[in-house]
Amino acid sequence: WSNQIRPDTITFNSVINAAARSFGDSIVRREAYLIGLGAFKKIHEYEYCKPSSITYVLFLNVLKNLVEEGDARDNMAERTFQLSVSFGLANGKVREQVRKTCSPLVAERILSSNN
């Protein structure tokens, strides 16, 4: 019976979204980031559900809200965007969130190289 109950794309997206909306001290924010990252990784592992463009928008929002501005966040956002490209999911909403997440120069470089 328990094998029939499995999380789907909406479930994973909900967890990622909840993580992105977390606030508090650095410990709470770090834990929320790890939860969001874990859900983002898991959705790419399962064969019975796949990420959607919303998955990428939400995870980029996790990065924007929970990771300090700088090279590390820009690099994670770029890898996230490249993954969305590889799945054919880099739509306008994903691109818009890249602009909100990355520094302006990095966002421009990432997006102009993937037109």
Side-chain angles (χ1 to χ4, degrees), residues 2-58:
S2 64
N3 289 337
Q4 295 175 347
I5 299 173
R6 302 184 287 199
D8 61 8
T9 301
I10 294 170
T11 306
F12 284 107
N13 285 350
S14 296
V15 171
I16 296 167
N17 187 43
R21 294 173 181 271
S22 296
F23 58 92
D25 64 23
S26 62
I27 294 169
V28 171
R29 294 166 57 80
R30 171 104 175 119
E31 185 65 25
Y33 165 75
L34 292 173
I35 290 169
L37 177 62
F40 185 73
K41 286 181 174 181
K42 283 287 184 198
I43 197 171
H44 290 88
E45 293 173 8
Y46 292 126
E47 292 189 18
Y48 61 83
C49 70
K50 299 293 179 201
S52 65
S53 60
I54 294 167
T55 306
Y56 294 97
V57 170
L58 293 172

Side-chain angles (χ1 to χ4, degrees), residues 53-54 56-58 60 77 80-82 84-86 88-104 106-115:
S53 60
I54 294 167
Y56 294 97
V57 170
L58 293 172
L60 287 164
T80 301
F81 178 71
Q82 293 302 334
S84 76
V85 169
S86 74
L89 297 170
N91 64 16
K93 293 290 185 186
V94 173
R95 292 171 181 276
E96 180 182 325
Q97 191 62 46
V98 166
R99 285 186 189 91
K100 293 176 182 177
T101 304
C102 295
S103 63
V106 172
E108 187 57 37
R109 178 182 55 77
I110 293 168
L111 297 174
S112 66
S113 67
N114 287 286
N115 280 331

